[in-house]
Amino acid sequence: MKITVLTLFPEMVKCFTSESILKRAQEKGILEVRVKNLSDWGRGKWKKVDDTPYGGGAGMVFRVDVVVGAIKELKHKNKKAKVILLTPQGEKYDQKRVQMLSQEEELILVCGHYEGFDERIRDYVDMEISIGDYVLTGGEIAAAVIVDSVARLLPGVLGKEESHQDDSFSEGLLEYPHYTRPEEYEGKKVPEVLRGGNHKEIAKWRKEKSEVRTNERRPDLT
Ligand code: ADE
C-alpha cells in the first residue's frame, strides 16, 4: 500500500513513520510512505501557500490553487488514490474506518495548518477525517495516527497475522485483560483459568471479560 502525506512540516510526519514497525513495513515493501512538502507547490519567490481570509478575521487560510495543484499532481499517476483532508470538521476516525482505509491501494493525506482550508478545496477530496473532538495545531499528528493504524492491518506487517484479530474494537468490544510472569505480584494473582491451558475455557473467559469491560467502560460501543 502507498500513503502520501502532504504537509508543510515533513519532519513531523517522518519522525513517526521512520521507526519501529512502520520502518520495518517499508523495508519489507508492504508499505510505501512518501512525505511531500506543500511548499513545493507554493506561489512566487516565497513559495506562499496561504493568505488572509476574505471577510477578515484572525489567521491564515490555505490557498485553493496551491493545495489543489498538489493534489492533482499527486493523483495524476493513480486516479484510484483516495484523497483525505485532515480536519476537526471531518468524520470521526474509528477502527471501522481503519479497516476500510486498509483496503485501499493508495491514500493521499492532506494536513492542514493555521486557520484552515479555503472551502473550495473540499470539492477535490474524497473524505474528511477528524481523529477526535479536539483541535490540534495541524493535521500531521492525525496523519501519523492514520498511517500507523492502517499499516498494522496490512498482511505481514505485524509478526503474526492474527495479532490484530483480538484488538480492542475489532469486534466492537474492548480487549480482554492480559497477564505475564510473575504468577503473583504483591498478592495479585494471575487468574487460574489462564494457567490451566484449557483453550476453550480461556476463550470463554476472555470473551466474558471483554464484554464486562466494554459494558463498564464503553457502553456506547454496544
Ligand atoms: N487538525 C486539527 N485538529 C484535527 C483533528 N482533531 N483531526 C484531524 N485533523 C486535525
Side-chain angles (χ1 to χ4, degrees), residues 69-144:
I71 290 173
K72 283 184 174 166
E73 198 177 318
L74 294 173
K75 230 187 139 157
H76 181 67
K77 276 205 196 116
N78 182 5
K79 304 269 182 296
K80 282 202 247 160
K82 290 275 180 300
V83 181
I84 300 172
L85 203 60
L86 297 159
T87 152
Q89 299 179 24
E91 289 175 51
K92 205 174 310 163
Y93 197 51
D94 59 13
Q95 193 65 19
K96 269 208 194 84
R97 284 197 173 75
V98 180
Q99 273 157 6
M100 200 180 83
L101 296 184
S102 70
Q103 309 295 318
E104 297 291 342
E105 241 175 61
E106 182 171 351
L107 303 176
I108 298 171
L109 307 179
V110 185
C111 303
H113 235 88
Y114 315 121
E115 224 21 59
F117 299 100
D118 184 302
E119 189 62 21
R120 293 164 289 185
I121 293 171
R122 296 199 143 88
D123 295 340
Y124 298 84
V125 307
D126 298 296
M127 214 182 299
E128 295 183 38
I129 287 180
S130 161
I131 61 160
D133 289 342
Y134 40 78
V135 182
L136 302 165
T137 56
E140 287 74 16
I141 295 172

Coordinates of all heavy atoms in Angstrom, one line a residue, residues 69-144:
G69 N -3.5 22.1 -6.7 CA -2.4 21.9 -7.6 C -1.6 20.7 -7.2 O -1.3 19.8 -8.0
A70 N -1.3 20.6 -5.9 CA -0.5 19.5 -5.3 C -1.3 18.2 -5.4 O -0.8 17.2 -5.9 CB -0.2 19.8 -3.9
I71 N -2.6 18.3 -5.0 CA -3.5 17.1 -5.1 C -3.5 16.5 -6.5 O -3.3 15.3 -6.7 CB -4.9 17.4 -4.6 CG1 -4.9 17.6 -3.1 CG2 -5.9 16.2 -4.9 CD1 -6.2 18.1 -2.5
K72 N -3.7 17.4 -7.5 CA -3.8 16.9 -8.9 C -2.6 16.3 -9.3 O -2.6 15.2 -10.0 CB -4.2 18.1 -9.8 CG -5.6 18.5 -9.7 CD -5.9 19.6 -10.7 CE -7.4 20.0 -10.7 NZ -7.7 21.2 -11.3
E73 N -1.4 16.9 -9.0 CA -0.2 16.3 -9.4 C 0.1 14.9 -8.8 O 0.5 14.0 -9.4 CB 1.0 17.2 -9.1 CG 2.2 16.9 -9.9 CD 3.3 17.9 -9.6 OE1 3.1 19.1 -9.6 OE2 4.5 17.4 -9.5
L74 N -0.2 14.8 -7.4 CA 0.0 13.6 -6.7 C -1.0 12.5 -7.2 O -0.6 11.3 -7.2 CB -0.2 13.8 -5.2 CG 0.9 14.7 -4.6 CD1 0.5 15.0 -3.1 CD2 2.3 14.1 -4.7
K75 N -2.2 12.9 -7.6 CA -3.2 11.9 -8.0 C -3.0 11.5 -9.5 O -3.6 10.5 -9.9 CB -4.6 12.5 -7.9 CG -5.5 11.6 -7.1 CD -6.9 12.1 -7.1 CE -7.8 10.9 -7.3 NZ -9.1 11.1 -6.8
H76 N -2.2 12.3 -10.2 CA -2.0 12.1 -11.6 C -1.7 10.6 -12.0 O -2.2 10.0 -12.9 CB -1.0 13.0 -12.2 CG -0.8 12.9 -13.6 ND1 -1.7 13.2 -14.6 CD2 0.3 12.4 -14.4 CE1 -1.3 13.0 -15.8 NE2 -0.1 12.5 -15.7
K77 N -0.7 10.0 -11.2 CA -0.2 8.7 -11.5 C -1.2 7.6 -11.2 O -1.2 6.5 -11.7 CB 1.1 8.4 -10.7 CG 2.3 9.0 -11.4 CD 3.5 8.2 -11.0 CE 4.8 9.0 -11.4 NZ 5.5 9.4 -10.2
N78 N -2.1 7.8 -10.2 CA -3.0 6.8 -9.8 C -4.4 7.5 -9.5 O -4.6 8.0 -8.4 CB -2.5 6.1 -8.6 CG -3.5 5.0 -8.1 OD1 -4.5 4.7 -8.8 ND2 -3.2 4.3 -7.0
K79 N -5.3 7.4 -10.4 CA -6.6 8.0 -10.3 C -7.4 7.4 -9.2 O -8.4 8.0 -8.7 CB -7.4 7.9 -11.6 CG -6.6 8.5 -12.8 CD -7.0 9.9 -13.1 CE -6.3 10.5 -14.3 NZ -4.9 10.6 -14.3
K80 N -7.0 6.2 -8.8 CA -7.8 5.5 -7.7 C -7.4 5.9 -6.3 O -8.0 5.5 -5.3 CB -7.6 4.0 -7.9 CG -8.4 3.4 -9.0 CD -8.6 1.9 -8.8 CE -7.8 1.1 -9.8 NZ -7.6 -0.3 -9.5
A81 N -6.3 6.7 -6.2 CA -5.8 7.1 -4.9 C -6.9 7.9 -4.2 O -7.6 8.8 -4.8 CB -4.6 8.0 -5.0
K82 N -7.2 7.6 -2.9 CA -8.2 8.4 -2.2 C -7.6 9.6 -1.4 O -6.6 9.4 -0.7 CB -8.8 7.5 -1.1 CG -9.7 6.4 -1.7 CD -11.1 6.9 -2.0 CE -12.0 5.9 -2.6 NZ -11.6 5.3 -3.8
V83 N -8.2 10.7 -1.7 CA -7.6 12.0 -1.0 C -8.4 12.3 0.2 O -9.6 12.4 0.2 CB -7.7 13.1 -2.0 CG1 -7.1 14.4 -1.4 CG2 -7.0 12.8 -3.3
I84 N -7.7 12.4 1.3 CA -8.3 12.6 2.6 C -7.8 13.9 3.3 O -6.6 14.1 3.4 CB -8.0 11.4 3.6 CG1 -8.5 10.1 3.0 CG2 -8.6 11.7 5.0 CD1 -8.1 8.9 3.7
L85 N -8.7 14.8 3.6 CA -8.4 16.0 4.3 C -8.5 15.8 5.8 O -9.5 15.3 6.3 CB -9.4 17.0 3.8 CG -9.1 18.5 3.9 CD1 -7.9 18.9 3.0 CD2 -10.3 19.3 3.5
L86 N -7.4 16.2 6.5 CA -7.4 16.0 8.0 C -7.9 17.3 8.6 O -7.3 18.4 8.4 CB -6.0 15.6 8.4 CG -5.7 14.3 7.8 CD1 -4.2 14.1 7.8 CD2 -6.4 13.2 8.5
T87 N -9.0 17.3 9.3 CA -9.6 18.4 9.9 C -10.5 18.0 11.0 O -11.2 17.0 11.0 CB -10.4 19.2 8.8 OG1 -11.5 19.9 9.4 CG2 -11.0 18.3 7.7
P88 N -10.6 18.9 12.1 CA -11.5 18.6 13.1 C -13.0 18.5 12.7 O -13.9 18.1 13.4 CB -11.3 19.7 14.2 CG -10.4 20.6 13.6 CD -9.9 20.1 12.3
Q89 N -13.3 19.0 11.5 CA -14.6 19.0 11.0 C -15.0 17.7 10.2 O -16.1 17.5 9.7 CB -14.8 20.2 10.0 CG -14.6 21.5 10.6 CD -14.8 22.6 9.6 OE1 -15.5 22.5 8.6 NE2 -14.2 23.8 9.9
G90 N -14.0 16.8 10.1 CA -14.2 15.5 9.4 C -15.1 14.5 10.2 O -15.5 14.7 11.3
E91 N -15.3 13.4 9.5 CA -16.0 12.2 10.2 C -15.0 11.7 11.2 O -13.8 11.6 11.0 CB -16.2 11.1 9.2 CG -17.3 11.4 8.1 CD -17.4 10.3 7.1 OE1 -17.5 9.1 7.5 OE2 -17.3 10.6 5.9
K92 N -15.6 11.3 12.3 CA -14.7 10.8 13.4 C -14.1 9.4 13.1 O -14.7 8.5 12.6 CB -15.5 10.7 14.7 CG -14.4 10.9 15.8 CD -14.9 11.0 17.3 CE -15.9 11.9 17.7 NZ -16.4 11.4 19.1
Y93 N -12.8 9.4 13.3 CA -12.0 8.2 13.0 C -12.2 7.1 14.0 O -12.1 7.3 15.2 CB -10.5 8.6 13.0 CG -9.6 7.7 12.2 CD1 -9.8 7.2 11.0 CD2 -8.4 7.2 12.9 CE1 -9.0 6.4 10.3 CE2 -7.5 6.4 12.2 CZ -7.8 6.0 10.9 OH -6.9 5.1 10.3
D94 N -12.4 5.9 13.5 CA -12.6 4.7 14.4 C -12.0 3.5 13.7 O -11.6 3.5 12.5 CB -14.0 4.5 14.8 CG -15.0 4.3 13.7 OD1 -14.5 4.1 12.6 OD2 -16.2 4.4 13.9
Q95 N -12.0 2.3 14.4 CA -11.4 1.1 13.9 C -12.1 0.6 12.6 O -11.5 0.1 11.7 CB -11.4 0.0 14.9 CG -10.5 -1.1 14.6 CD -9.0 -0.8 14.5 OE1 -8.5 0.2 15.0 NE2 -8.2 -1.7 13.9
K96 N -13.4 0.9 12.4 CA -14.1 0.6 11.2 C -13.5 1.3 10.0 O -13.3 0.8 8.9 CB -15.6 0.9 11.3 CG -16.4 -0.2 11.8 CD -17.9 -0.1 11.3 CE -18.8 -1.0 12.1 NZ -19.3 -0.4 13.3
R97 N -13.2 2.6 10.2 CA -12.6 3.4 9.1 C -11.2 2.9 8.9 O -10.7 2.9 7.7 CB -12.7 4.9 9.5 CG -14.0 5.4 9.3 CD -14.1 6.9 9.2 NE -15.5 7.2 8.9 CZ -16.5 7.2 9.8 NH1 -16.3 6.8 11.0 NH2 -17.7 7.5 9.4
V98 N -10.5 2.5 9.9 CA -9.1 2.0 9.7 C -9.2 0.8 8.8 O -8.4 0.7 7.8 CB -8.5 1.6 11.1 CG1 -7.1 1.0 10.9 CG2 -8.5 2.7 12.1
Q99 N -10.1 -0.1 9.1 CA -10.3 -1.3 8.3 C -10.6 -0.9 6.8 O -10.0 -1.5 5.9 CB -11.4 -2.2 8.8 CG -10.8 -3.2 9.9 CD -11.8 -3.7 10.8 OE1 -13.0 -3.4 10.7 NE2 -11.4 -4.4 11.8
M100 N -11.5 0.0 6.7 CA -11.9 0.4 5.3 C -10.7 1.0 4.6 O -10.5 0.6 3.4 CB -13.0 1.5 5.5 CG -13.9 1.8 4.4 SD -15.0 3.1 5.0 CE -14.0 4.6 4.7
L101 N -10.0 1.9 5.2 CA -8.8 2.5 4.5 C -7.7 1.5 4.2 O -7.0 1.6 3.2 CB -8.2 3.6 5.4 CG -9.1 4.8 5.6 CD1 -8.4 5.9 6.4 CD2 -9.7 5.4 4.4
S102 N -7.6 0.5 5.0 CA -6.5 -0.5 4.8 C -6.8 -1.3 3.5 O -5.9 -2.0 3.0 CB -6.3 -1.4 6.0 OG -7.4 -2.3 6.1
Q103 N -8.0 -1.2 3.0 CA -8.3 -2.0 1.7 C -7.9 -1.1 0.5 O -8.0 -1.6 -0.6 CB -9.8 -2.2 1.6 CG -10.5 -2.9 2.8 CD -9.9 -4.3 3.0 OE1 -9.8 -5.0 2.0 NE2 -9.6 -4.7 4.3
E104 N -7.6 0.1 0.7 CA -7.3 1.0 -0.5 C -5.9 0.7 -1.0 O -5.0 0.3 -0.3 CB -7.4 2.5 -0.1 CG -8.8 2.9 0.4 CD -9.8 2.9 -0.7 OE1 -9.4 2.9 -1.9 OE2 -11.0 2.9 -0.4
E105 N -5.7 1.0 -2.3 CA -4.4 0.9 -2.9 C -3.5 2.0 -2.5 O -2.3 1.8 -2.2 CB -4.6 1.1 -4.4 CG -4.2 0.0 -5.3 CD -4.6 0.3 -6.7 OE1 -4.1 1.3 -7.3 OE2 -5.4 -0.5 -7.3
E106 N -4.1 3.2 -2.4 CA -3.2 4.4 -2.2 C -4.1 5.5 -1.4 O -5.2 5.7 -1.8 CB -2.7 5.0 -3.5 CG -1.8 6.2 -3.3 CD -1.1 6.6 -4.5 OE1 -1.1 5.9 -5.6 OE2 -0.5 7.7 -4.5
L107 N -3.4 6.1 -0.5 CA -4.1 7.2 0.2 C -3.2 8.5 0.1 O -2.0 8.4 0.1 CB -4.2 7.0 1.7 CG -5.0 5.7 2.2 CD1 -4.9 5.5 3.7 CD2 -6.4 5.7 1.7
I108 N -3.9 9.6 -0.1 CA -3.1 10.9 0.0 C -3.7 11.7 1.1 O -4.9 12.0 1.1 CB -3.3 11.7 -1.4 CG1 -2.7 10.8 -2.5 CG2 -2.6 13.0 -1.3 CD1 -3.0 11.4 -3.9
L109 N -2.9 11.9 2.2 CA -3.4 12.6 3.4 C -2.9 14.1 3.3 O -1.7 14.3 3.2 CB -2.8 11.9 4.6 CG -3.0 10.4 4.7 CD1 -2.4 9.8 6.0 CD2 -4.5 10.1 4.7
V110 N -3.9 14.9 3.4 CA -3.6 16.4 3.3 C -3.7 17.0 4.7 O -4.8 17.0 5.3 CB -4.6 17.1 2.3 CG1 -4.2 18.5 2.1 CG2 -4.6 16.3 1.0
C111 N -2.6 17.5 5.2 CA -2.5 18.1 6.5 C -2.8 19.6 6.5 O -2.1 20.3 5.8 CB -1.2 17.9 7.2 SG -0.7 16.2 7.2
G112 N -3.7 20.1 7.3 CA -4.0 21.5 7.4 C -3.1 22.1 8.4 O -2.3 21.4 9.2
H113 N -3.1 23.4 8.5 CA -2.4 24.2 9.5 C -3.0 25.6 9.5 O -3.8 25.9 8.7 CB -0.9 24.3 9.1 CG 0.0 23.8 10.2 ND1 0.4 22.5 10.4 CD2 0.5 24.5 11.3 CE1 1.1 22.4 11.4 NE2 1.2 23.5 12.0
Y114 N -2.7 26.4 10.5 CA -3.3 27.7 10.6 C -4.8 27.6 10.8 O -5.4 26.6 11.3 CB -2.9 28.6 9.5 CG -1.5 28.5 9.2 CD1 -1.0 28.1 7.9 CD2 -0.5 28.8 10.1 CE1 0.3 28.0 7.6 CE2 0.9 28.7 9.9 CZ 1.3 28.3 8.6 OH 2.6 28.2 8.3
E115 N -5.5 28.6 10.2 CA -7.0 28.7 10.4 C -7.8 27.6 9.7 O -8.8 27.2 10.1 CB -7.4 30.1 10.0 CG -8.4 30.8 10.9 CD -8.4 30.4 12.3 OE1 -7.4 30.4 13.1 OE2 -9.6 30.0 12.7
G116 N -7.2 27.2 8.6 CA -7.9 26.1 7.8 C -7.7 26.2 6.4 O -6.8 26.8 5.9
F117 N -8.6 25.5 5.6 CA -8.5 25.4 4.2 C -9.5 26.3 3.5 O -10.6 26.5 4.0 CB -8.9 24.0 3.8 CG -8.0 22.9 4.3 CD1 -8.4 22.1 5.4 CD2 -6.8 22.6 3.7 CE1 -7.6 21.1 5.9 CE2 -6.0 21.6 4.2 CZ -6.4 20.9 5.3
D118 N -9.2 26.8 2.4 CA -10.1 27.5 1.5 C -11.3 26.5 1.3 O -11.0 25.3 0.9 CB -9.5 27.9 0.2 CG -10.4 28.7 -0.7 OD1 -11.5 28.2 -1.0 OD2 -10.1 29.8 -1.1
E119 N -12.5 26.9 1.5 CA -13.6 26.0 1.4 C -13.6 25.2 0.0 O -14.1 24.0 0.0 CB -14.9 26.7 1.5 CG -16.2 25.9 1.7 CD -16.2 25.0 2.9 OE1 -15.4 25.3 3.9 OE2 -16.9 24.1 2.9
R120 N -13.2 25.8 -1.1 CA -13.2 25.2 -2.4 C -12.4 23.9 -2.5 O -12.6 23.1 -3.4 CB -12.9 26.2 -3.5 CG -13.9 27.3 -3.6 CD -13.4 28.5 -4.3 NE -12.4 29.2 -3.6 CZ -11.9 30.3 -4.0 NH1 -12.2 30.8 -5.2 NH2 -11.0 31.0 -3.3
I121 N -11.4 23.8 -1.6 CA -10.5 22.6 -1.6 C -11.4 21.3 -1.4 O -11.1 20.3 -1.9 CB -9.4 22.7 -0.5 CG1 -8.5 23.9 -0.9 CG2 -8.7 21.4 -0.3 CD1 -7.5 24.2 0.2
R122 N -12.5 21.5 -0.6 CA -13.3 20.3 -0.2 C -13.9 19.6 -1.5 O -14.2 18.5 -1.4 CB -14.4 20.8 0.7 CG -13.9 21.3 2.0 CD -15.0 21.3 3.1 NE -14.4 21.0 4.4 CZ -13.9 21.9 5.3 NH1 -13.9 23.1 5.0 NH2 -13.3 21.4 6.4
D123 N -14.0 20.4 -2.6 CA -14.6 19.8 -3.8 C -13.6 18.8 -4.4 O -14.0 18.1 -5.4 CB -14.9 20.9 -4.8 CG -16.0 21.8 -4.3 OD1 -16.8 21.3 -3.4 OD2 -16.1 22.9 -4.8
Y124 N -12.4 18.8 -4.0 CA -11.3 17.9 -4.6 C -10.9 16.8 -3.8 O -9.9 16.1 -4.1 CB -10.1 18.8 -5.0 CG -10.5 19.9 -6.0 CD1 -11.0 21.1 -5.6 CD2 -10.4 19.7 -7.4 CE1 -11.4 22.1 -6.5 CE2 -10.8 20.6 -8.3 CZ -11.3 21.8 -7.8 OH -11.7 22.8 -8.7
V125 N -11.5 16.5 -2.7 CA -11.1 15.4 -1.8 C -12.2 14.4 -1.7 O -13.4 14.7 -1.9 CB -10.7 15.9 -0.4 CG1 -9.7 17.0 -0.4 CG2 -11.9 16.4 0.5
D126 N -11.9 13.2 -1.3 CA -12.8 12.1 -1.3 C -13.5 12.0 0.1 O -14.5 11.4 0.3 CB -12.1 10.7 -1.6 CG -11.6 10.8 -3.0 OD1 -12.4 10.8 -3.9 OD2 -10.4 10.7 -3.2
M127 N -12.7 12.4 1.1 CA -13.2 12.2 2.5 C -12.5 13.2 3.4 O -11.4 13.7 3.1 CB -12.6 10.8 2.9 CG -13.4 10.0 3.8 SD -12.4 8.5 4.1 CE -12.3 7.8 2.5
E128 N -13.2 13.6 4.5 CA -12.6 14.4 5.6 C -12.6 13.6 6.8 O -13.6 13.0 7.2 CB -13.3 15.7 5.7 CG -13.3 16.6 4.5 CD -14.1 17.9 4.8 OE1 -14.0 18.4 5.9 OE2 -14.7 18.3 3.8
I129 N -11.4 13.6 7.5 CA -11.4 12.8 8.8 C -10.9 13.6 9.9 O -9.9 14.4 9.8 CB -10.4 11.5 8.6 CG1 -11.1 10.5 7.7 CG2 -10.0 10.9 9.9 CD1 -10.3 9.2 7.4
S130 N -11.5 13.4 11.1 CA -11.1 14.0 12.4 C -10.7 12.9 13.3 O -11.3 11.8 13.3 CB -12.2 14.8 13.0 OG -12.0 15.0 14.4
I131 N -9.5 13.0 14.0 CA -9.2 11.9 14.9 C -9.8 12.1 16.3 O -9.5 11.3 17.2 CB -7.6 11.7 15.0 CG1 -6.9 12.9 15.5 CG2 -7.1 11.2 13.6 CD1 -5.5 12.6 16.0
G132 N -10.6 13.1 16.5 CA -11.2 13.3 17.8 C -11.7 14.7 17.9 O -11.4 15.6 17.2
D133 N -12.6 14.9 18.9 CA -13.2 16.2 19.2 C -12.3 17.1 20.0 O -12.6 17.4 21.1 CB -14.6 16.0 19.8 CG -15.6 15.4 18.9 OD1 -15.4 15.4 17.7 OD2 -16.6 14.9 19.4
Y134 N -11.2 17.5 19.4 CA -10.3 18.4 20.0 C -9.5 19.0 18.8 O -9.5 18.4 17.7 CB -9.3 17.8 20.9 CG -8.8 16.4 20.5 CD1 -7.8 16.3 19.5 CD2 -9.4 15.2 21.0 CE1 -7.4 15.1 19.0 CE2 -9.0 14.0 20.5 CZ -8.0 13.9 19.5 OH -7.6 12.7 19.1
V135 N -8.9 20.2 19.0 CA -8.2 20.8 17.9 C -6.7 20.7 18.0 O -6.2 21.2 19.1 CB -8.7 22.3 17.7 CG1 -8.0 22.9 16.5 CG2 -10.2 22.3 17.6
L136 N -6.0 20.2 17.0 CA -4.6 20.1 17.0 C -4.0 21.3 16.3 O -4.7 22.0 15.6 CB -4.1 18.8 16.3 CG -4.7 17.5 16.9 CD1 -4.5 16.4 15.9 CD2 -3.9 17.2 18.2
T137 N -2.7 21.5 16.4 CA -2.1 22.7 15.7 C -2.0 22.4 14.2 O -1.8 23.3 13.4 CB -0.7 23.0 16.3 OG1 0.1 21.8 16.1 CG2 -0.7 23.4 17.7
G138 N -2.1 21.2 13.8 CA -2.1 20.8 12.4 C -2.5 19.4 12.2 O -2.7 18.7 13.2
G139 N -2.6 19.0 11.0 CA -3.0 17.6 10.7 C -1.9 16.5 10.7 O -2.2 15.4 10.5
E140 N -0.7 16.9 11.0 CA 0.4 16.0 11.0 C 0.3 14.8 11.9 O 0.5 13.7 11.6 CB 1.8 16.7 11.2 CG 2.2 17.6 10.0 CD 1.4 18.9 9.9 OE1 0.7 19.3 10.9 OE2 1.5 19.5 8.8
I141 N -0.1 15.1 13.2 CA -0.3 14.0 14.1 C -1.4 13.1 13.7 O -1.4 11.9 13.8 CB -0.5 14.6 15.6 CG1 0.8 15.3 16.0 CG2 -0.8 13.5 16.6 CD1 0.7 16.1 17.3
A142 N -2.5 13.7 13.2 CA -3.6 13.0 12.7 C -3.2 12.0 11.5 O -3.6 10.9 11.4 CB -4.7 13.9 12.2
A143 N -2.3 12.6 10.6 CA -1.8 11.8 9.5 C -1.0 10.6 10.1 O -1.1 9.4 9.6 CB -0.9 12.6 8.6
A144 N -0.2 10.9 11.1 CA 0.7 9.8 11.7 C -0.2 8.7 12.3 O 0.0 7.5 12.2 CB 1.6 10.4 12.7

